[in-house]
Amino acid sequence: MYTLEQYRESADSIRERLDGRQPEILMILGTGLGGLGDKIKKPVYIPYGDIPNFKTATAIGHIGRFVAGELGGRQVLVMQGRLHVYEGYTMADVAYPIRVAKLLGIDKLVITNNAGGINKSFCPGNLMIITDYIKFAPGSPLAGPNIEEFGGRFPDMSRVFDKEYGDIFRAIANERGETVQEGVYFYMAGPQFETPAEIRAIRALGGDAVGMSTVPEAIAANHCGMRILGLTLLTCMAAGVAGTPMDTDEVIRIAEEGAGRFEAMMTEFVRRI
Ligand code: HPA
C-alpha cells in the first residue's frame, strides 16, 4: 500500500528528468519485447532504482528502466521491464508505475506480455488482442484505503480494454497481412507454469491465453481512467495443449522472434491514436 504523497514524490522525480517532455502514452514491454525501448528517438533513460519508492525488475529479459522520448511522432514513456507478483512483489508494487504515470499526465496505456495459448485455434507466434481478463488469484492493487484522486472505491470493470484501440490495432495487422487473434487473458501468479488439469479448467472457464502479468497494471489503469490496449504474443501453447513439456528457452526465443513484427505494429499504433 502506498500513499498519494509517495506516488507524487516518484512522479516529481521523473518529471525533473524529462527535460520538458510531456509523454502522452505509457508502454509496458513484456518479456523479450523490450527492444522497442531501443527504437525511441532522443531518449532519456531513467532506471527504476533512481526513482524514490520504486522497486526494481528482477525477471529475465527485463532491464528495469523508463525510456522517455519519441516514437511514431508521439511522446511516449516506455517501461523496459515490468514487475511481477512471482518476484515476491505485491499487486500494489506491480501497479505502482501506472499511478505515477497518471500523475505525469498520461492517460493512454499499451500493455504487452507473452502468454501460453489455450484456445486450440491459436498457434505459437500469433498475436492476440486482449478483449477481457479473468483473475481468480487473490489480491488487488486497489486493496487498502482508496485514493479518491485516482478513482472511486468500486470501479466498473465492464470495459477494461478499449474497443476502439483494439480495432485500430487489428486494422494495422490486417494491412500487413499479420494474423491477429483476440481473446480473454487468464491471469495466474506463477512462477510455475500451469498443470494440464489447470489448463483444462481455465479453458472451461473461458480463458484463451494464460500468463503471469498485465492484470495488476490493467486494474490500476482502469481505476484511474486510462484507455488501454492489451497485446499478447503467444509464445507457446499452454501445458497439455500441444503435448510437449513447457520450455522457458523456447518461450523467450519465440518472444524475441516475434519482437520485430510487434514493434513495427506498435509504432504504427501510437502514430494513429
Ligand atoms: N503460462 C503462463 N505464462 C506463460 C506461458 C504459459 O503457458 N507462456 C508464456 N508465459
Side-chain angles (χ1 to χ4, degrees):
M1 269 182 272
Y2 295 90
T3 61
L4 182 58
E5 287 61 42
Q6 286 174 303
Y7 292 110
R8 284 189 173 141
E9 195 187 357
S10 303
D12 290 345
S13 141
I14 295 172
R15 196 178 293 108
E16 273 169 24
R17 299 181 61 164
L18 287 177
D19 279 340
R21 293 173 175 77
Q22 174 54 61
E24 298 171 74
I25 306 163
L26 177 69
M27 305 179 83
I28 304 179
L29 304 179
T31 306
L33 301 169
L36 189 62
D38 301 326
K39 306 267 158 58
I40 303 300
K41 299 202 188 105
K42 302 188 200 131
V44 169
Y45 299 103
I46 311 172
Y48 301 155
D50 290 359
I51 306 166
N53 313 318
F54 253 67
K55 303 278 196 296
T56 49
T58 68
I60 328 172
H62 290 258
I63 299 178
R65 66 180 181 191
F66 283 110
V67 188
E70 199 188 302
L71 182 76
R74 306 292 289 278
Q75 284 297 324
V76 298
L77 185 64
V78 171
M79 289 182 68
Q80 251 182 341
R82 60 139 65 84
L83 308 181
H84 305 81
V85 167
Y86 66 68
E87 294 168 78
Y89 294 129
T90 65
M91 290 225 178
D93 295 333
V94 174
Y96 188 85
I98 300 290
R99 290 178 156 186
V100 171
K102 179 73 181 182
L103 294 177
L104 289 170
I106 296 174
D107 59 8
K108 299 180 176 72
L109 173 64
V110 178
I111 315 187
T112 68
N113 59 45
N114 56 60
I118 294 184
N119 185 319
K120 289 181 179 163
S121 64
F122 294 175
C123 297
N126 283 174
L127 287 172
M128 183 187 93
I129 295 167
I130 304 175
T131 53
D132 206 348
Y133 77 76
I134 300 174
K135 178 182 86 64
F136 285 167
S140 166
L142 310 180
N146 187 50
I147 303 179
E148 289 294 322
E149 281 78 356
F150 291 119
R153 172 78 288 188
F154 300 109
D156 173 48
M157 302 299 284
S158 56
R159 196 67 247 185
V160 175
F161 297 96
D162 193 275
K163 168 131 184 8
E164 191 190 338
Y165 280 6
D167 290 344
I168 294 170
F169 192 85
R170 191 177 313 95
I172 293 167
N174 289 344
E175 287 163 19
R176 290 162 187 248
E178 293 281 355
T179 308
V180 66
Q181 311 282 6
E182 57 176 49
V184 173
Y185 179 91
F186 195 103
Y187 173 79
M188 291 288 271
Q192 71 285 358
F193 287 121
E194 300 70 36
T195 63
E198 285 173 327
I199 295 301
R200 287 193 298 276
I202 294 170
R203 180 182 298 116
L205 290 168
D208 294 299
V210 59
M212 306 175 194
S213 69
T214 301
V215 169
E217 297 101 315
I219 294 170
N222 182 67
H223 180 242
C224 67
M226 289 186 178
R227 293 182 75 179
I228 310 173
L229 173 72
L231 291 175
T232 291
L233 176 62
L234 296 156
T235 41
C236 60
M237 294 312 278
V241 180
T244 45
M246 303 299 294
D247 177 348
T248 311
D249 292 343
E250 179 70 358
V251 165
I252 292 175
R253 190 185 65 73
I254 298 212
E256 284 168 356
E257 219 173 75
R261 289 180 292 140
F262 211 47
E263 288 167 9
M265 288 191 275
M266 295 218 318
T267 305
E268 184 56 25
F269 176 80
V270 299
R271 194 189 302 283
R272 292 192 197 178
I273 61 171

